[in-house]
Amino acid sequence: MDMSILENVFQRIEGYRDEIIQFQAELTSRTALGPENGGTGEHDKAKYLMEKLEVLNPDFLEEIRAPDERATDGYRPNLVARWHGEEAGPTIWALSHMDIVPPGDLTLWEGDPYKIKVEDDRITGRGVLDDQAGIVSSYLAFEAVRALGLKPKRPVGLVFVADEETGSKFGLDYVLERRGDLFDPKDLIYVPDAGNAEGTMIEVAEKSMLWLKFTVTGKQCHGSTPGKGRNSLYGAARLIVALEKLKEEFGLVDMLFSPPMSTFEPTKMEANVPNINTIPGRDVFYVDCRILPQYKVDDILQDAKSRADEVAAELGLSILVEPVYRQDAINPTAADAPVVRALSRAIKCVKGVEATPMGIGGGTVAAFFRKAGLPAAVWMTMPDTAHQPNEYCLISNIIEDAKIFACLFLDEYGIG
Ligand SMILES: [Zn+2]
């Protein structure tokens, strides 16, 4: 492609400050909270975005409704828009999520979380970063391409999903289950929903997540007569120490990940007895495991259970081990996959820096793509303010990310 064309696109995007502020104001005022977060769904935001997409005349536009009787009109909206390219495929996709997390303690906010505040380069408001920065940068990138009358070589798709913050059951998980045919393993799928302040981190792999609940049952008795009971707190304490051995047993190091090893951390401990002179008969604690994909989650579960059995037998207690959440990491996106290489080149062109493919501790929506055998890269340039009071994004980050999306949509550097 002629470099001057790309320069024109960049120039147009650089003039989008007012558009970005306006877009963010509209999105932020349309609260999109899932029922688990005390809301009724993403409908207002989806309706607004549907209109924005229609302006760009997509060749394909569909609202995929995930049934959810707790939500407005009994469903959660997911939007998919696609435009033809000069050639048939693969499609270059950008997927962002519409839902937000609640603002939390309002006294920690300097203003109304649903009314944006603009100071120089900074826009503050709930959702402006997570994930409206992704919505705005990908949308405006394609808007600039269209406004200049350019036709991309490949098809381009924009996806806005529901329910990312509470598990994606009514979001991407549902979209892939119902309309998995929209995506092809050769497609380039970008998820602007996590990254670092420099915009150099490309997330390609995740650890498996396993949250375990341990219920230790003994026999409660008076503090002065331990012989009459069985102290469950001893069982919990011994088991917590015994579980540290998981770190050695599953001690593989993989430098793709940060941190580079599996982690097994005791976290929540439920309250047991309310007074000091009672020996507890029941203790419940939890361990958050983030497991390198080289290991099978079942093997960790088995190991934890046998350690629990040992402690239980030794102390005459019973210990129940239950997984309360589990997401197996499979099919990490290869660090040299076309989706990663094209993005690295676009980042280099716009920012002049080298990006690094990395693995993280799990929990992004890209895991659903990977599970379905679809390579995906998670990336965006962002301050670390997601889910926090006074969440903010930087207009300059959105402009740069939009330029990078424009490079990708125009397939400026070729696929792969
Ligand atoms: Zn997010």
Side-chain angles (χ1 to χ4, degrees), residues 96-97 99-101 129-132 164-165 191-194 365 380 382 386-387:
S96 321
H97 65 87
D99 59 318
I100 56 165
V101 292
L129 181 70
D130 182 15
D131 189 22
Q132 289 164 203
E164 192 276 339
E165 300 290 2
V191 180
D193 192 24
V365 75
M380 97 193 285
M382 56 182 283
H387 296 210

Side-chain angles (χ1 to χ4, degrees), residues 65-280:
R65 298 181 168 185
D68 182 353
E69 59 189 22
R70 306 162 303 170
T72 303
D73 298 332
Y75 74 91
R76 307 285 289 279
N78 295 277
L79 307 180
V80 182
R82 194 164 172 270
W83 292 262
H84 298 319
E86 302 265 351
E87 294 170 24
T91 301
I92 322 276
W93 297 97
L95 176 135
S96 321
H97 65 87
M98 298 183 284
D99 59 318
I100 56 165
V101 292
D105 185 350
L106 287 174
T107 63
L108 298 175
W109 284 79
E110 279 155 24
D112 181 347
Y114 298 122
K115 248 179 106 179
I116 63 160
K117 193 169 78 180
V118 184
E119 301 151 294
D120 301 325
D121 194 26
R122 185 184 284 204
I123 304 176
T124 303
R126 173 52 89 225
V128 292
L129 181 70
D130 182 15
D131 189 22
Q132 289 164 203
I135 295 175
V136 173
S137 64
S138 59
Y139 178 91
L140 288 180
F142 195 61
E143 198 272 343
V145 168
R146 298 283 287 188
L148 291 169
L150 303 170
K151 184 161 191 188
K153 193 155 81 188
R154 320 270 179 190
V156 169
L158 292 177
V159 187
F160 303 131
V161 291
D163 195 30
E164 192 276 339
E165 300 290 2
T166 44
S168 291
K169 193 173 152 217
F170 305 98
L172 183 59
D173 197 13
Y174 185 84
V175 170
L176 289 173
E177 187 194 305
R178 282 303 166 103
R179 294 305 311 271
D181 59 300
L182 288 168
F183 303 93
D184 185 276
K186 286 203 180 65
D187 289 351
L188 274 62
I189 302 173
Y190 296 100
V191 180
D193 192 24
N196 60 10
E198 295 76 36
T200 52
M201 184 188 131
I202 303 175
E203 188 261 299
V204 292
E206 300 190 7
K207 294 174 186 170
S208 296
M209 287 171 72
L210 177 66
W211 293 351
L212 290 174
K213 177 184 183 182
F214 297 85
T215 306
V216 184
T217 310
K219 186 166 176 264
Q220 186 176 312
C221 66
H222 194 278
S224 63
T225 56
K228 290 188 177 169
R230 299 233 182 259
N231 192 333
S232 57
L233 188 52
Y234 270 129
R238 287 243 202 138
L239 183 52
I240 288 170
V241 173
L243 289 168
E244 266 201 284
K245 286 270 182 284
L246 288 169
K247 294 182 197 170
E248 291 165 31
E249 198 72 33
F250 302 94
L252 202 74
V253 169
D254 182 341
M255 293 312 290
L256 178 67
F257 287 86
S258 172
M261 72 293 274
S262 304
T263 58
F264 307 93
E265 288 298 308
T267 51
K268 177 173 158 176
M269 180 102 203
E270 288 183 11
N272 53 15
V273 289
N275 50 313
I276 298 172
N277 59 347
T278 297
I279 286 171

